[in-house]
Amino acid sequence: MDRDLQQLSIKAGQFLLSRGATLTAAESCTGGWIAKVITDISGSSAWFEQGFVTYSNEAKTTMLGVSPVTLETYGAVSEQTVREMANGALQQAGADYAIAVSGIAGPGGGSDEKPVGTVWFGFASASGETVAVHRLFRGDRDEVRKQAVIFALQTLCEGFAEK
């Protein structure tokens, strides 16, 4: 396991454990990578509920309750979609916090409006807060996905969940 990801996963676990909180992840472009790095940490079952890999629009709809209208109107890689993904995962898992990720990792699939490297993140809490954040990452498919995993976990620990 990548040492940086391992340390970040440990930090996320410590952060959640110190609050008696649990996490769920709804992932599209990261394909379960967030859940993987979290569950690589021994004892993570104490703070990680479950993960959803919802790569297709149909999976986003059936597993997380994302509205087909949202997907048709805004697309899978959008603020609206990740907000619905995060809230759907939170509800389905019964967790305290949810992270949702949807993006274009490449090498194809980009457009002028949404170039390769575009990633939207949704963060939701059981207290009712939902935040969406957009980033544009550089690099190949693997690099974009890794940067997305790092950003998601850092934001959980250092920003969103501390509000």
Side-chain angles (χ1 to χ4, degrees):
M1 177 183 197
D2 179 287
R3 183 127 175 92
D4 292 337
L5 287 175
Q6 181 180 35
Q7 292 303 313
L8 192 52
S9 296
I10 290 169
K11 181 180 176 182
Q14 291 168 340
F15 175 85
L16 291 160
L17 282 172
S18 72
R19 287 158 177 76
T22 57
L23 175 68
T24 185
E27 302 181 67
S28 188
C29 69
T30 49
W33 200 344
I34 293 171
K36 185 237 185 286
V37 299
I38 288 170
T39 58
D40 280 346
I41 305 305
S42 178
S44 59
S45 61
W47 50 274
F48 185 70
E49 286 295 326
Q50 61 185 304
F52 303 87
V53 178
T54 55
Y55 206 68
S56 71
N57 285 351
E58 182 179 343
K60 289 174 183 65
T61 299
T62 59
M63 294 175 73
L64 302 173
V66 175
S67 167
V69 173
T70 298
L71 291 164
E72 185 176 315
T73 304
Y74 302 103
V77 181
S78 66
E79 174 181 358
Q80 296 80 358
T81 295
V82 295
R83 284 178 176 273
E84 290 185 28
M85 288 173 66
N87 284 308
L90 195 69
Q91 183 178 2
Q92 291 295 323
D96 298 296
Y97 296 104
I99 297 172
V101 184
S102 189
I104 304 164
S111 67
D112 288 341
E113 291 178 358
K114 297 177 186 178
V116 169
T118 300
V119 182
W120 274 97
F121 300 86
F123 300 90
S125 71
S127 67
E129 182 181 15
T130 306
V131 174
V133 182
H134 163 262
R135 289 291 179 269
L136 180 61
F137 298 116
R138 303 274 181 229
D140 65 21
R141 183 176 182 81
D142 196 54
E143 291 166 337
V144 167
R145 294 172 74 203
K146 181 178 179 181
Q147 290 170 78
V149 171
I150 290 168
F151 179 81
L153 292 175
Q154 284 177 334
T155 302
L156 172 74
C157 294
E158 298 170 2
F160 170 74
E162 293 181 358
K163 292 181 182 178

